[in-house]
């Protein structure tokens, strides 16, 4: 659940507000599961006028695979809205399906809208299923008393049980005020495709980065032996690029809903282990860069490296490990006051990784994806093999307010 305190204007407080999610990992149907865990979201300051989505399905998130039971808030900025939903993308359209095992994307059984009052609002730890009545909340827990938190609206299509272990997305919208200023959008400049390489070829170094600029597109055609290139873009002014560490590695092929729980390893089978993985029973792994960072590189095909994980060998194909590198951007000089804000857009429609028609539902294509003008890449998702589907997420960039 990566975040930082980039803002469009001077914040109202130098102490960040926080949202803490509590729950379990592993098999939540096991009555002996005592894997109590939590993760923390840092909230942008009041007056920034920003909306940030925190997807719990992001493998780079500290909340990845946390099955949430309860929530608390501390030192929240004023007039901040918090949307809790079991939709992967923070949508509020409800559905009727409920599958408790791995919380697939078809679970769309509730949404809750909270709003803070004065600065410093607090929510004492409260179960998600207990957030079911409009009005100001008044619970107490662990010596803390809720103050200034209002449940504005909510809806559910199933029972309270279907609100437990299914939270998938948290959307935080901070307020603007008379002092809020927004910088201009940053325009991209010269764009260049990298040289081709075969993604599954173990003779190539697996990590590929833009030597100049950041990623604004990707080309891949065919299976893991097909050609791959990155589209790297510069900008219309001096921008300092501070690359951050590579993301955790994860298997490219997605989350198998047929996977069995392995008690010895304390996790469900991954997509390179499970049987019967196909079109309709595999979820995407939606990787997106941390808040206010953009994509500059991707790694794949680590078969000649011995540091594999406990799911099995890496053969460089769709079952292989993938990681990404992101970067912070600064206008002119590397300084927090010059930090560029990143405003992600919606995920692209899916298309097959290898360019084929794909299960009869996706059109053939030439393998090339590019973001819209003046946008850059911040996310990529995939499931299955090369004949299955890839999606991308692009973002606009906003210069610091002057």
């Amino acid at each position: 659940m990566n975040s930082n305190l980039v803002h469009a204007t001077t914040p109202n407080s130098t102490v960040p507000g926080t949202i803490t999610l509590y729950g379990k990992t592993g098999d939540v149907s096991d009555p002996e599961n005592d894997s109590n865990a939590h993760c923390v979201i840092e909230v942008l300051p009041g007056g920034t006028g920003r909306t940030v989505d925190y997807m719990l399905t992001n493998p780079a998130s500290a909340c990845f695979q946390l099955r949430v039971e309860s929530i608390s808030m501390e030192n929240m900025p004023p007039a901040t809205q918090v949307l809790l939903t079991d939709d992967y993308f923070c949508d509020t359209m409800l559905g009727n399906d409920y599958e408790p095992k791995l919380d697939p994307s078809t679970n769309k059984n509730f949404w809750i809208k909270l709003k803070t009052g004065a600065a410093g609002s607090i929510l004492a730890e409260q179960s998600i299923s207990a957030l079911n009545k409009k009005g100001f909340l008044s619970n107490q827990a662990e010596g803390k008393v809720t103050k200034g938190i209002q449940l504005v609206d909510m809806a559910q299509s199933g029972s309270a049980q279907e609100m437990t272990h299914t939270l998938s997305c948290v959307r935080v919208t901070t307020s603007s005020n008379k002092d809020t200023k927004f910088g201009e959008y940053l325009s991209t400049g010269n764009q260049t495709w990298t040289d081709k390489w075969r993604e599954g070829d173990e003779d190539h170094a697996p990590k590929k980065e833009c030597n100049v600029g950041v990623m604004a597109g990707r080309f891949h055609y065919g299976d893991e032996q097909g050609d791959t290139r990155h589209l790297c873009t510069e900008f219309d002014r001096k921008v300092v690029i501070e690359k951050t560490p590579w993301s955790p590695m994860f298997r490219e092929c997605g989350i198998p809903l047929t996977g069995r729980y392995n008690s010895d390893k304390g996790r469900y089978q991954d997509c390179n282990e499970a049987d019967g993985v196909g079109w309709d029973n595999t979820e995407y792994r939606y990787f997106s860069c941390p808040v206010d960072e953009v994509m500059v590189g991707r790694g794949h095909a680590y078969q000649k490296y011995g540091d594999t994980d406990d799911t099995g060998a890496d053969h460089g194909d769709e079952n292989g490990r993938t990681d990404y590198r992101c970067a912070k951007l600064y206008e002119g000089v590397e300084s927090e006051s010059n930090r560029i804000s990143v405003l992600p857009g919606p995920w692209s429609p899916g298309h097959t990784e290898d360019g084929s028609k794909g299960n009869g539902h996706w059109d053939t294509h030439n393998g090339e994806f590019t973001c819209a003008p003046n946008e850059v890449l911040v996310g990529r998702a995939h499931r299955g093999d090369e004949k299955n589907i890839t999606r991308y997420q692009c973002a606009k960039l906003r210069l610091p307010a002057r």
Side-chain angles (χ1 to χ4, degrees):
M1 199 61 57
N2 298 284
S3 181
N4 51 56
L5 299 184
V6 175
H7 45 269
T9 186
T10 303
N12 293 336
S13 172
T14 57
V15 180
T18 58
I19 298 172
T20 304
L21 305 177
Y22 308 85
K24 298 185 184 300
T25 59
D27 182 5
V28 295
S29 67
D30 181 358
E32 297 183 0
N33 183 342
D34 60 356
S35 62
N36 298 318
H38 71 277
C39 64
V40 178
I41 301 170
E42 285 191 354
V43 178
L44 297 176
T48 53
R50 293 278 302 275
T51 295
V52 180
D53 288 354
Y54 300 90
M55 296 176 65
L56 277 63
T57 53
N58 182 355
S61 165
C63 295
F64 183 58
Q65 296 183 330
L66 178 66
R67 306 298 296 277
V68 178
E69 299 173 343
S70 58
I71 181 174
S72 69
M73 302 181 191
E74 290 274 356
N75 195 44
M76 292 293 287
T80 298
Q81 300 177 52
V82 179
L83 172 67
L84 310 173
T85 172
D86 61 351
D87 180 83
Y88 279 19
F89 308 104
C90 277
D91 192 68
T92 54
M93 180 73 70
L94 296 180
N96 297 309
D97 294 338
Y98 173 62
E99 171 51 60
K101 178 181 173 182
L102 285 169
D103 189 27
S105 59
T106 50
N107 281 358
K108 301 172 184 284
N109 295 308
F110 78 91
W111 54 262
I112 300 165
K113 291 181 180 179
L114 304 174
K115 187 175 182 179
T116 67
S121 295
I122 295 173
L123 174 63
E125 185 179 349
Q126 178 70 289
S127 66
I128 299 294
S129 60
L131 297 172
N132 55 17
K133 186 177 180 180
K134 296 179 184 179
F136 282 94
L137 306 180
S138 58
N139 62 300
Q140 302 180 37
E142 302 295 329
K144 297 180 181 179
V145 179
T146 293
K147 66 173 184 178
I149 305 291
Q150 181 183 9
L151 198 161
V152 177
D153 203 359
M154 62 89 61
Q156 63 187 95
S157 59
S159 66
Q161 176 184 354
E162 297 174 17
M163 301 171 68
T164 304
H165 301 140
T166 59
L167 180 68
S168 298
C169 190
V170 178
R171 173 175 291 168
V172 181
T173 302
T174 53
S175 63
S176 58
N177 55 43
K178 61 182 179 62
D179 296 320
T180 302
K181 298 177 182 178
F182 296 103
E184 299 177 353
Y185 287 114
L186 175 62
S187 297
T188 54
N190 183 53
Q191 297 188 332
T192 306
W193 286 97
T194 63
D195 295 335
K196 298 177 183 178
W197 72 91
R198 290 185 176 178
E199 197 164 83
D201 191 341
E202 66 178 25
D203 293 329
H204 285 280
K207 296 182 185 293
K208 301 292 185 181
E209 303 178 55
C210 287
N211 293 324
V212 178
V214 305
M215 289 178 64
R218 177 175 174 266
F219 169 88
H220 180 80
Y221 195 82
D223 63 10
E224 63 272 9
Q225 295 301 323
D227 289 331
T228 299
R229 293 189 295 171
H230 291 164
L231 178 64
C232 300
T233 186
E234 299 177 71
F235 300 99
D236 67 349
R237 66 191 67 201
K238 181 182 178 182
V239 171
V240 177
I241 300 171
E242 179 193 354
K243 294 181 178 180
T244 54
W246 285 84
S247 74
M249 289 185 183
F250 54 91
R251 297 287 171 166
E252 176 91 347
C253 42
I255 301 173
L257 301 180
T258 57
R260 298 187 305 274
Y261 188 75
N262 186 322
S263 57
D264 292 335
K265 296 181 178 180
R267 60 169 178 79
Y268 283 95
Q269 290 178 310
D270 214 329
C271 51
N272 60 317
E273 302 172 292
D275 297 326
V277 176
W279 278 86
D280 301 323
N281 58 12
T282 306
E283 287 289 353
Y284 296 94
R285 280 196 169 99
Y286 286 96
F287 173 86
S288 56
C289 288
V291 175
D292 290 323
E293 295 187 23
V294 303
M295 192 177 293
V296 293
R298 174 175 174 265
H300 184 68
Y302 289 90
Q303 63 268 39
K304 70 177 181 179
Y305 295 81
D307 55 341
T308 188
D309 56 29
D310 70 350
T311 69
D314 189 329
H315 300 294
D317 58 6
E318 67 277 356
N319 294 327
R321 292 166 294 165
T322 293
D323 56 356
Y324 295 89
R325 195 169 196 186
C326 300
K328 302 174 184 179
L329 304 179
Y330 304 88
E331 182 187 19
V333 178
E334 186 175 327
S335 165
E336 278 302 309
S337 63
N338 293 334
R339 186 76 178 274
I340 293 169
S341 299
V342 180
L343 310 177
W347 286 85
S348 72
H351 67 253
T352 56
E353 181 76 355
D354 69 350
S356 66
K357 192 169 181 62
N359 206 30
H361 297 295
W362 284 266
D363 292 334
T364 57
H365 61 93
N366 66 0
E368 183 178 304
F369 174 85
T370 58
C371 291
N374 300 319
E375 295 187 8
V376 300
L377 269 179
V378 293
R380 178 178 176 269
H382 182 72
R383 68 180 189 193
D385 64 10
E386 68 273 2
K387 296 186 181 300
N388 218 304
I389 304 304
T390 296
R391 302 179 70 181
Y392 295 95
Q393 187 182 34
C394 300
K396 295 180 180 180
L397 304 174
R398 192 188 290 278
L399 296 166
R402 301 299 183 192

